[in-house]
Amino acid sequence: MIISTKRGTPQNEIKKIIDGFEGQGLQVTLIRGEDYNVFGLVGDTTKLNEKQIAANPWVESVTRVSAPYKKANRLFHQEDSVISIAGDKVRIGGREKVAVIGGPCSVECESQVVQIAQAVKEAGGDMLRGGAYKPRTSPYAFQGLGTEGVLDMVKAREVTGLPIVSELMSEDRIDEFVEYVDLIQIGARNMQNFQLLKALGRINKPILLKRGLANTIEEWIMSAEYIMAGGNENVILCERGIRTFEPYTRNTLDLSVIPIIKEKTHLPIVIDPSHATGNYRYVEAMSLAAVAAGADGLIIEVHTDPEHAFSDGAQSLKPAKFRETIDKCRAVAAVVGRRL
Amino acid sequence: MIISTKRGTPQNEIKKIIDGFEGQGLQVTLIRGEDYNVFGLVGDTTKLNEKQIAANPWVESVTRVSAPYKKANRLFHQEDSVISIAGDKVRIGGREKVAVIGGPCSVECESQVVQIAQAVKEAGGDMLRGGAYKPRTSPYAFQGLGTEGVLDMVKAREVTGLPIVSELMSEDRIDEFVEYVDLIQIGARNMQNFQLLKALGRINKPILLKRGLANTIEEWIMSAEYIMAGGNENVILCERGIRTFEPYTRNTLDLSVIPIIKEKTHLPIVIDPSHATGNYRYVEAMSLAAVAAGADGLIIEVHTDPEHAFSDGAQSLKPAKFRETIDKCRAVAAVVGRRL
Amino acid sequence: MIISTKRGTPQNEIKKIIDGFEGQGLQVTLIRGEDYNVFGLVGDTTKLNEKQIAANPWVESVTRVSAPYKKANRLFHQEDSVISIAGDKVRIGGREKVAVIGGPCSVECESQVVQIAQAVKEAGGDMLRGGAYKPRTSPYAFQGLGTEGVLDMVKAREVTGLPIVSELMSEDRIDEFVEYVDLIQIGARNMQNFQLLKALGRINKPILLKRGLANTIEEWIMSAEYIMAGGNENVILCERGIRTFEPYTRNTLDLSVIPIIKEKTHLPIVIDPSHATGNYRYVEAMSLAAVAAGADGLIIEVHTDPEHAFSDGAQSLKPAKFRETIDKCRAVAAVVGRRL
Amino acid sequence: MIISTKRGTPQNEIKKIIDGFEGQGLQVTLIRGEDYNVFGLVGDTTKLNEKQIAANPWVESVTRVSAPYKKANRLFHQEDSVISIAGDKVRIGGREKVAVIGGPCSVECESQVVQIAQAVKEAGGDMLRGGAYKPRTSPYAFQGLGTEGVLDMVKAREVTGLPIVSELMSEDRIDEFVEYVDLIQIGARNMQNFQLLKALGRINKPILLKRGLANTIEEWIMSAEYIMAGGNENVILCERGIRTFEPYTRNTLDLSVIPIIKEKTHLPIVIDPSHATGNYRYVEAMSLAAVAAGADGLIIEVHTDPEHAFSDGAQSLKPAKFRETIDKCRAVAAVVGRRL
């Protein structure tokens, strides 16, 4: 950690700062500049609080040099993590097959989800997604079928054999998800629901952690770190677009996260082109781009009747288009050294 | 609601759309343009799902004309709402006194919070803030004292008589907060924790709802609507800065929310200049600005020893500076027709 | 165009509004709602000023249904435009070969740019880029070699046969660029330098128009429209990342522009992964993604000695890596139906 | 400047880096950490290129400790700069009267601007604003009256005695502006038109430099530095809102720039609440806030007939409302120790 102090900081204040850090077992090097003094701290700085240090009125700036994450950090874990789902039916990460997860935004009824699951399977999908608990901006919008929706997903798994992914919104449903769901999705709005993250650290199921709407990559990794620090290292990261000023898309899909996540961490990265663009017409192009850039998986909305979907129909692919997208992605995967 | 269809949409598709809406009891007017057709829908459109409509491949765009909120909407509730706290000890909103809430970011121990509470009271503050459960980006950072911290706040209230504000992070602590806390704060990261918002709709305590880091004003009002639709109309909105590209401040304080919230809703609006700027040097200027623009309250971090605070020391005022800020704000309030 | 008026707008105000639009030759349809009235205008609304209409205190909102661009609009020009450069040596757009433009950020001297040009050619590049006039945030930073730099580029073209691309920053250098440069680049900071755009409309050279740092896709197309409305329809759009809150990359590369630009306009779209990410380690992944998504070209920084580059060395590829990137991109292009 | 290198950087690479900096006359201190090495550089680092340093593959990060601006830096110029306009008729900055600039967005004709100038003067305004050259997103929108508009402004100055402010969009009109205009405005879209900034450095007229739509405060100060480094130190900064995701306002007015600009620089700061909010209903509240926070001036759009204005009518105040706003601002100024 690097700390700079203001011009004219009195000698005794500088001494106090040095003594303070040395008292915490850190090694301090002082660099005297013309207008500023700079301190370099060596040792375990993960517990230091940057904002507390900055509260000293003589301090000009505080800069962290080493990353604040440990468990997720590739520096301390060189090999790619591969996350095993549903008793190794699907494996995500490393050199494994690029996983394709398809399904409706919301579960509407058993027959709908079973029918879509079959279409997903026939198109070559690896897993089924479907929301039973829906985070909706409006209290007047459809909120999801709850437990009934989860059980409809279970039925679809029985029929097709596809492992299931669904979004968990609250701690009180963890037992239900541990029992029935194969991969627990944490949505963008809950990425910093720290209470929920801590609870996920105490279970053993794999977690698909979506990036928050306006969260930095570092904050996102820190949320993975919450789960991992609690003991559950089965975390898959999922980019679903960030909020910008652009109105032609629902969000701006940030594909540069793919090489960055692979550089900074050892965790797999999955891309959601459906929520990011909010428009089925752009899903194929963004899926191809994600695979070309090295994504470990795709999560795509599929619906047999998008015009009558309960939610997010505008971004859903029909089964034929989903199959075509998978086929094209498979060709791209092959030339970048991956299977799909 | 206004729906436009693409150039070349076949006649029978247009008829299908019209029939669909009429079947839902809406009145449809069709405007034929050169390159587009436009439909206007009249009736109760709050339950219509814009995204489902947009899923129709012939639909070009969907625009909502009327606001999606009802309970919070000033259109249906012309008078300002005044929220009563702690048995009317403090009243926020309307022409009431501009409320000043002061206190530490985190409760550290009983003597710290009692000492700060006394300083807040002597400076002219109306309420005491203090965090017992802390949303921290890092799992390795101080997470708050929990129940012990809440009880320390209660002790500070006993000593000073100041009502207390504290942040609730999860549903499982609602009973504790209903019993001990006078104004329940919902932090930016939980603004769209819809499960928690629904639970707050079932209690009767006033809620201080902070705006999310990257949430629009409409989404923020919709989160208030969640609580109000559940039956708890005691909602105060709190702006604490939004995330932008600017690194000189922690967030960008958006003071234009003050006239906008007063125009669109009947709810009170409180400003948090401490979290917004992240820097004690800018708190006074932003407090004065907020009062001048018509804010109903201020929530300011105060610490007797910011350099040793457990969190956010960099943005805390010392008691003498807090008192000076209140005195200046009082003078501004007087000339804009408010008391403080 | 759709205009909604506030609840309680008097009958005579509504009549005045209708009369006003009809006086401008527009057809007006009125839809009476419960809380709002809505007007639909049919006719040529491109000259209407939304903000002037919104100035009427009875007006609640103004929404444009049809796009404000004409020349660039695919609605009126169904086939892809193919832009011919340097007497048809390079053709960009449609089903043409995906063009690869490589070269240094800044021209440093003749031997440097000739050497890099040779490396670009050997690696399979189609054109040479190099900046002679540099937009630098600091007045104390290297500002480019000016005319000397342009002539160095010309020399490199003589040696290698590669057409050249360079950034024009001001109207007073247009003659120089028309004489010497094959494709004139307009940088992000000048995307809305309307004076310059108008001047470009009066020449005949192809223009590579970069998207502004925080400009919407619609504004970007409108800047192309400025050039095209002036008479120069040879415009190529170039995405180079937008400004967001994310610090791990210099900008956030928005690849969703590829399908959107192709849907809304008939113009070619080129991607600049070097400026977008600001980091050579992420350039290959983003290049592959761009080609997979359907980009018509790539513009990549290449330097033989990035550590001693005068500008932007951090984002430059060395020749061997550039060749490897091209080879991988060629394989991706093949499977998405393009040559490169 | 602080440079950190990656874990495992070989000893000889570290030596090369040290030798390189020492060869440039800088003093280098090396701090050896566990996972990183950190170098501190002391000396004149303003000419160092951060990006070139970062191009070294062993370099992890580069952080500038001292600000990159000199002329504008308060560190080297402790007293507030006061800018004198029109032969000292108006003085902006320091403890001078808070200046109020009013007038139409666009000059439409002589009688319009004379009439508005009289209203501005009667209401207590200090200067007249009016656009003769207009930066418009659409090539089909009204582009301003040009020289004729400037001369109409001159006429309004003759009639009222108010100094005039107008926007300069291109270098070729500098002579015209030096002759006729008292304060030259540089718009947000030209904040980084470096060619134009350099030309402004060679004249002597005061400049009102607006912040770019998505520019950081540091970049904005650097643009002032361009003008000042060229020899013209008469720069006034003007905040007009930044682009965010919020659609209820045209831009987000960032009032925290007021204390920040005063801390980092010695230049005056003026606020434009009209362009920032884009809505006349929010202008008064934001004007009061700006004055309370310490702004040195306000620039407000005023129009006698906003519904028929050629541009930006929606954000213009009518004269009576402008007068009322000034009166309220005067009362606020008085209690924060300023005149208006």
Side-chain angles (χ1 to χ4, degrees):
Chain A
M1 192 176 279
I2 302 296
I3 292 144
S4 67
T5 54
K6 289 189 189 151
R7 178 148 113 157
T9 302
Q11 203 46 46
N12 67 317
E13 292 291 337
I14 289 178
K15 194 176 173 322
K16 266 206 268 180
I17 293 171
I18 294 177
D19 291 352
F21 289 122
E22 288 181 347
Q24 293 173 67
L26 296 161
Q27 208 183 309
V28 185
T29 305
L30 173 62
I31 305 168
R32 287 183 193 280
E34 279 157 31
D35 301 320
Y36 296 86
N37 286 299
V38 171
F39 300 89
L41 305 187
V42 174
D44 181 8
T45 59
T46 49
K47 267 157 205 160
L48 285 186
N49 184 338
E50 286 137 275
K51 284 172 203 154
Q52 184 189 322
I53 297 166
N56 185 317
W58 297 107
V59 166
E60 179 73 23
S61 71
V62 181
T63 311
R64 217 174 245 290
V65 174
S66 48
Y69 39 90
K70 297 218 167 262
K71 293 271 188 180
N73 199 333
R74 190 177 281 273
L75 204 58
F76 312 120
H77 186 299
Q78 300 282 340
E79 335 69 61
D80 293 325
S81 282
V82 174
I83 308 300
S84 168
I85 296 162
D88 233 23
K89 260 199 164 165
V90 173
R91 292 166 58 83
I92 299 186
R95 308 307 301 166
E96 298 294 328
K97 184 171 177 303
V98 177
V100 181
I101 306 167
C105 182
S106 299
V107 176
E108 293 163 26
C109 66
E110 190 188 294
S111 68
Q112 170 244 19
V113 74
V114 167
Q115 187 193 6
I116 295 176
Q118 286 169 322
V120 165
K121 190 176 187 185
E122 281 161 27
D126 301 295
M127 293 182 73
L128 176 70
R129 59 151 290 153
Y133 298 89
K134 300 300 304 170
R136 304 300 301 274
T137 305
S138 168
Y140 310 122
F142 175 61
Q143 307 278 322
L145 296 179
T147 303
E148 189 191 324
V150 173
L151 296 177
D152 291 342
M153 291 287 287
V154 169
K155 181 71 188 171
R157 176 177 56 199
E158 284 170 17
V159 173
T160 61
L162 295 177
I164 59 179
V165 189
S166 199
E167 179 171 350
L168 173 68
M169 284 177 62
S170 57
E171 219 183 325
D172 65 331
R173 294 289 153 183
I174 286 189
D175 290 347
E176 182 177 305
F177 275 63
V178 167
E179 183 168 356
Y180 295 119
V181 172
D182 298 300
L183 174 60
I184 300 176
Q185 176 180 316
I186 298 302
R189 287 170 188 76
N190 278 317
M191 191 202 92
Q192 292 195 318
N193 181 340
F194 300 116
Q195 182 79 5
L196 186 57
L197 298 178
K198 283 179 195 170
L200 296 171
R202 293 188 292 265
I203 63 171
N204 213 13
K205 276 274 158 118
I207 309 297
L208 185 73
L209 180 65
K210 290 202 158 184
R211 181 181 183 183
L213 265 121
N215 285 106
T216 64
I217 297 172
E218 188 168 297
E219 288 169 343
W220 185 25
I221 300 174
M222 288 308 285
S223 288
E225 188 83 9
Y226 254 96
I227 302 170
M228 298 170 86
N232 183 358
E233 305 209 355
N234 301 303
V235 179
I236 300 167
L237 297 168
C238 178
E239 160 74 19
R240 42 79 71 215
I242 55 172
R243 184 161 272 185
T244 68
F245 53 81
E246 175 58 55
Y248 276 5
T249 44
R250 186 150 89 160
N251 292 114
T252 296
L253 183 64
D254 180 4
L255 288 174
S256 66
V257 303
I258 299 172
I260 293 172
I261 288 296
K262 289 184 175 295
E263 178 183 275
K264 309 273 182 200
T265 83
H266 50 88
L267 302 175
I269 170 79
V270 164
I271 301 296
D272 179 346
S274 306
H275 280 86
T277 60
N279 191 325
Y280 67 92
R281 298 195 300 265
Y282 312 142
V283 167
E284 180 182 288
M286 293 301 97
S287 298
L288 291 166
V291 172
D296 296 306
L298 295 171
I299 179 163
I300 295 176
E301 287 195 11
V302 180
H303 203 285
T304 44
D305 185 12
E307 291 133 70
H308 295 99
F310 284 11
S311 61
D312 284 350
Q315 65 203 32
S316 295
L317 298 189
K318 292 189 183 174
K321 183 68 189 164
F322 178 57
R323 167 181 285 228
E324 186 191 328
T325 301
I326 288 185
D327 289 346
K328 290 186 184 174
C329 284
R330 186 172 295 124
V332 169
V335 298
V336 297
R338 289 290 285 269
R339 287 171 301 122
L340 179 151
Chain B
M1 192 175 282
I2 301 297
I3 293 145
S4 67
T5 52
K6 289 188 191 152
R7 179 149 114 155
T9 301
Q11 203 45 46
N12 67 316
E13 292 290 339
I14 289 179
K15 192 174 174 324
K16 266 205 266 178
I17 294 171
I18 294 177
D19 291 352
F21 290 122
E22 288 182 347
Q24 293 175 65
L26 296 162
Q27 207 183 310
V28 185
T29 305
L30 172 62
I31 305 168
R32 290 184 191 280
E34 277 155 35
D35 301 320
Y36 297 87
N37 286 301
V38 171
F39 302 89
L41 306 188
V42 174
D44 181 8
T45 59
T46 50
K47 267 157 207 163
L48 284 187
N49 184 340
E50 285 137 277
K51 285 173 203 151
Q52 184 189 319
I53 298 167
N56 184 318
W58 297 107
V59 167
E60 178 73 24
S61 71
V62 181
T63 311
R64 216 177 246 291
V65 174
S66 50
Y69 38 90
K70 298 221 166 257
K71 292 270 187 181
N73 198 334
R74 190 178 282 273
L75 204 58
F76 311 119
H77 186 300
Q78 299 282 339
E79 334 68 63
D80 292 326
S81 282
V82 174
I83 308 300
S84 168
I85 297 161
D88 233 25
K89 258 196 165 169
V90 172
R91 292 166 58 85
I92 299 186
R95 308 308 300 167
E96 297 294 326
K97 184 173 178 301
V98 178
V100 181
I101 306 167
C105 183
S106 299
V107 176
E108 294 163 24
C109 66
E110 189 187 296
S111 68
Q112 170 243 21
V113 74
V114 167
Q115 188 192 7
I116 294 176
Q118 286 169 321
V120 166
K121 189 176 188 185
E122 281 160 28
D126 300 296
M127 294 182 71
L128 176 70
R129 59 151 289 153
Y133 298 89
K134 301 299 304 170
R136 304 300 300 274
T137 305
S138 168
Y140 310 121
F142 174 61
Q143 307 278 322
L145 295 180
T147 302
E148 188 191 325
V150 173
L151 296 177
D152 292 343
M153 291 287 287
V154 168
K155 180 73 188 172
R157 177 176 56 197
E158 285 169 17
V159 174
T160 61
L162 295 177
I164 59 180
V165 189
S166 200
E167 179 172 350
L168 172 69
M169 284 177 63
S170 56
E171 218 183 325
D172 66 331
R173 293 291 155 184
I174 286 189
D175 290 347
E176 182 177 306
F177 275 63
V178 167
E179 181 167 359
Y180 294 121
V181 172
D182 299 300
L183 174 60
I184 300 176
Q185 177 181 316
I186 298 302
R189 287 170 187 76
N190 279 316
M191 192 203 90
Q192 292 194 318
N193 182 338
F194 300 116
Q195 181 81 4
L196 186 57
L197 298 179
K198 283 179 196 172
L200 296 171
R202 295 187 291 264
I203 62 172
N204 212 11
K205 276 273 158 119
I207 308 297
L208 185 73
L209 179 66
K210 289 200 159 187
R211 181 182 182 183
L213 267 120
N215 285 106
T216 64
I217 297 172
E218 187 168 296
E219 288 170 342
W220 186 23
I221 300 175
M222 287 308 284
S223 288
E225 187 83 9
Y226 255 96
I227 302 170
M228 297 171 85
N232 181 358
E233 304 208 355
N234 301 303
V235 179
I236 300 167
L237 297 168
C238 178
E239 160 72 22
R240 44 76 74 213
I242 54 172
R243 185 162 271 186
T244 67
F245 52 81
E246 174 58 55
Y248 275 4
T249 43
R250 186 150 89 160
N251 293 113
T252 297
L253 183 63
D254 180 4
L255 288 174
S256 65
V257 303
I258 299 172
I260 293 172
I261 288 296
K262 288 186 177 296
E263 178 183 275
K264 309 273 183 200
T265 83
H266 50 89
L267 302 176
I269 170 79
V270 164
I271 301 295
D272 178 346
S274 305
H275 281 86
T277 61
N279 192 323
Y280 67 92
R281 299 196 299 266
Y282 312 141
V283 167
E284 180 182 290
M286 291 302 96
S287 298
L288 291 165
V291 172
D296 296 305
L298 294 170
I299 179 163
I300 296 177
E301 287 195 11
V302 179
H303 203 285
T304 44
D305 184 13
E307 291 133 71
H308 296 98
F310 285 9
S311 61
D312 283 350
Q315 65 204 32
S316 295
L317 299 188
K318 292 188 183 175
K321 183 67 190 164
F322 178 58
R323 166 180 286 228
E324 187 190 326
T325 300
I326 288 185
D327 290 344
K328 290 187 183 174
C329 285
R330 186 172 294 125
V332 169
V335 299
V336 296
R338 290 291 284 269
R339 286 169 302 121
L340 178 152
Chain C
M1 192 175 281
I2 302 296
I3 293 145
S4 67
T5 53
K6 289 187 190 153
R7 178 147 116 153
T9 302
Q11 202 46 45
N12 67 316
E13 292 291 338
I14 289 179
K15 191 172 174 328
K16 266 205 265 179
I17 293 171
I18 294 178
D19 291 351
F21 289 122
E22 287 182 346
Q24 293 175 69
L26 296 161
Q27 211 183 305
V28 185
T29 306
L30 173 62
I31 306 168
R32 288 183 193 280
E34 278 157 35
D35 300 321
Y36 297 87
N37 286 299
V38 171
F39 301 89
L41 305 187
V42 175
D44 181 9
T45 59
T46 51
K47 266 155 207 161
L48 284 187
N49 185 338
E50 285 137 275
K51 284 173 202 150
Q52 185 190 318
I53 297 166
N56 185 318
W58 297 108
V59 166
E60 179 75 23
S61 72
V62 181
T63 311
R64 216 175 245 291
V65 175
S66 49
Y69 38 91
K70 298 219 166 256
K71 293 270 188 181
N73 198 333
R74 190 179 281 272
L75 204 58
F76 311 120
H77 186 300
Q78 300 282 339
E79 334 69 62
D80 292 326
S81 282
V82 174
I83 308 301
S84 167
I85 296 161
D88 234 24
K89 260 195 164 169
V90 173
R91 292 166 58 84
I92 300 186
R95 306 309 300 168
E96 297 293 328
K97 184 172 176 303
V98 178
V100 180
I101 306 168
C105 182
S106 299
V107 176
E108 293 163 26
C109 67
E110 190 187 295
S111 68
Q112 170 243 18
V113 74
V114 168
Q115 189 192 4
I116 294 175
Q118 287 169 321
V120 166
K121 190 177 187 182
E122 282 161 26
D126 300 295
M127 294 182 71
L128 176 69
R129 60 151 289 154
Y133 298 89
K134 300 301 304 170
R136 304 300 301 273
T137 306
S138 168
Y140 310 121
F142 174 61
Q143 306 278 320
L145 296 179
T147 303
E148 189 191 326
V150 173
L151 296 177
D152 292 343
M153 290 287 286
V154 169
K155 182 72 188 172
R157 176 177 56 198
E158 284 169 19
V159 174
T160 60
L162 295 178
I164 59 179
V165 190
S166 199
E167 179 172 350
L168 173 70
M169 283 178 62
S170 57
E171 217 183 326
D172 67 331
R173 293 289 155 186
I174 286 189
D175 289 347
E176 183 177 305
F177 275 63
V178 167
E179 184 168 355
Y180 295 120
V181 172
D182 299 300
L183 174 60
I184 300 176
Q185 177 180 315
I186 298 302
R189 287 170 187 77
N190 279 316
M191 192 201 91
Q192 292 194 318
N193 182 339
F194 300 114
Q195 182 80 3
L196 186 57
L197 297 179
K198 283 180 195 172
L200 296 172
R202 294 188 290 265
I203 62 172
N204 213 11
K205 276 273 159 120
I207 309 297
L208 185 73
L209 179 66
K210 289 200 159 187
R211 181 182 183 184
L213 267 120
N215 285 107
T216 63
I217 297 172
E218 187 168 296
E219 288 170 342
W220 186 24
I221 300 174
M222 287 308 283
S223 288
E225 187 83 8
Y226 254 96
I227 302 170
M228 297 171 86
N232 182 358
E233 305 209 356
N234 301 302
V235 180
I236 300 167
L237 297 168
C238 179
E239 160 73 22
R240 43 77 72 213
I242 55 172
R243 185 161 272 183
T244 68
F245 52 80
E246 175 58 56
Y248 276 2
T249 44
R250 187 150 88 160
N251 293 114
T252 297
L253 183 64
D254 180 4
L255 289 174
S256 65
V257 304
I258 299 172
I260 293 172
I261 287 297
K262 289 185 176 296
E263 177 183 276
K264 309 272 183 200
T265 83
H266 50 91
L267 302 175
I269 170 79
V270 163
I271 301 296
D272 179 346
S274 305
H275 281 86
T277 60
N279 192 322
Y280 68 91
R281 299 196 300 266
Y282 312 142
V283 167
E284 180 181 290
M286 291 302 97
S287 299
L288 291 166
V291 172
D296 296 305
L298 294 171
I299 180 163
I300 295 176
E301 288 196 11
V302 179
H303 203 287
T304 44
D305 185 11
E307 291 133 71
H308 295 98
F310 285 11
S311 60
D312 283 350
Q315 65 204 33
S316 296
L317 298 188
K318 292 187 184 177
K321 182 68 189 162
F322 178 57
R323 166 180 287 230
E324 185 190 327
T325 300
I326 288 185
D327 290 345
K328 289 186 184 173
C329 284
R330 185 171 296 123
V332 169
V335 299
V336 296
R338 289 291 284 269
R339 285 169 304 122
L340 178 153
Chain D
M1 193 175 279
I2 302 296
I3 292 144
S4 67
T5 52
K6 289 186 190 153
R7 179 149 112 154
T9 302
Q11 202 46 44
N12 67 317
E13 292 291 338
I14 289 179
K15 192 174 174 322
K16 265 206 268 180
I17 293 171
I18 295 177
D19 291 353
F21 289 122
E22 288 181 346
Q24 294 175 66
L26 296 162
Q27 210 183 307
V28 185
T29 306
L30 173 61
I31 305 167
R32 289 183 192 281
E34 278 156 33
D35 301 319
Y36 296 87
N37 285 299
V38 172
F39 302 87
L41 305 187
V42 174
D44 181 8
T45 59
T46 50
K47 267 156 207 160
L48 285 187
N49 184 338
E50 285 138 276
K51 284 173 204 152
Q52 185 189 320
I53 297 166
N56 185 317
W58 298 107
V59 166
E60 177 75 23
S61 72
V62 181
T63 311
R64 215 174 246 293
V65 175
S66 49
Y69 39 90
K70 297 219 166 260
K71 293 270 187 180
N73 198 333
R74 190 178 282 273
L75 204 58
F76 311 121
H77 187 300
Q78 300 282 339
E79 335 69 61
D80 292 325
S81 282
V82 174
I83 308 300
S84 167
I85 295 161
D88 234 23
K89 260 197 165 167
V90 172
R91 292 166 58 84
I92 299 186
R95 307 307 302 167
E96 297 293 328
K97 184 173 176 303
V98 178
V100 181
I101 305 167
C105 182
S106 299
V107 176
E108 292 162 28
C109 66
E110 190 188 295
S111 68
Q112 170 243 21
V113 74
V114 167
Q115 189 193 4
I116 294 176
Q118 287 169 322
V120 165
K121 191 177 186 182
E122 281 161 28
D126 301 296
M127 294 182 73
L128 176 69
R129 59 151 291 153
Y133 298 90
K134 301 300 305 171
R136 303 301 300 273
T137 305
S138 169
Y140 309 121
F142 174 61
Q143 306 278 320
L145 295 180
T147 303
E148 189 191 324
V150 173
L151 296 177
D152 291 343
M153 291 286 287
V154 168
K155 182 71 189 175
R157 176 175 57 198
E158 284 169 18
V159 174
T160 60
L162 295 177
I164 58 178
V165 190
S166 199
E167 179 171 351
L168 173 69
M169 283 177 63
S170 57
E171 220 183 324
D172 67 330
R173 294 291 155 184
I174 286 189
D175 289 348
E176 183 178 304
F177 274 65
V178 167
E179 184 169 354
Y180 294 120
V181 172
D182 299 300
L183 175 59
I184 300 176
Q185 177 181 318
I186 298 301
R189 286 171 188 75
N190 278 315
M191 192 202 93
Q192 292 194 317
N193 182 338
F194 300 116
Q195 181 80 3
L196 186 58
L197 298 179
K198 283 179 193 171
L200 296 171
R202 293 188 292 265
I203 64 172
N204 212 11
K205 276 275 158 115
I207 309 297
L208 185 73
L209 180 65
K210 289 200 160 185
R211 181 182 183 184
L213 265 120
N215 285 106
T216 63
I217 297 173
E218 188 168 295
E219 288 169 342
W220 185 25
I221 300 175
M222 287 308 283
S223 288
E225 188 83 8
Y226 255 95
I227 302 169
M228 298 171 86
N232 183 359
E233 304 209 356
N234 301 304
V235 180
I236 300 167
L237 298 168
C238 179
E239 160 74 19
R240 42 79 71 216
I242 55 172
R243 185 161 273 186
T244 67
F245 52 81
E246 174 57 55
Y248 275 4
T249 44
R250 186 149 90 161
N251 293 114
T252 297
L253 183 63
D254 179 4
L255 289 174
S256 66
V257 303
I258 299 172
I260 293 172
I261 288 296
K262 289 184 176 298
E263 178 183 276
K264 309 273 183 200
T265 84
H266 49 90
L267 301 175
I269 170 79
V270 164
I271 301 296
D272 179 346
S274 306
H275 281 85
T277 60
N279 192 323
Y280 68 92
R281 299 195 299 264
Y282 312 141
V283 167
E284 181 182 289
M286 292 301 97
S287 299
L288 292 166
V291 172
D296 296 305
L298 295 171
I299 180 163
I300 295 176
E301 286 196 12
V302 179
H303 204 286
T304 44
D305 185 13
E307 290 133 71
H308 296 98
F310 284 12
S311 61
D312 283 351
Q315 66 204 33
S316 295
L317 298 188
K318 293 189 183 175
K321 183 67 189 167
F322 178 57
R323 167 180 286 226
E324 186 189 328
T325 301
I326 289 186
D327 290 344
K328 289 187 183 173
C329 284
R330 186 172 294 124
V332 169
V335 299
V336 297
R338 289 291 284 269
R339 286 171 302 122
L340 178 151

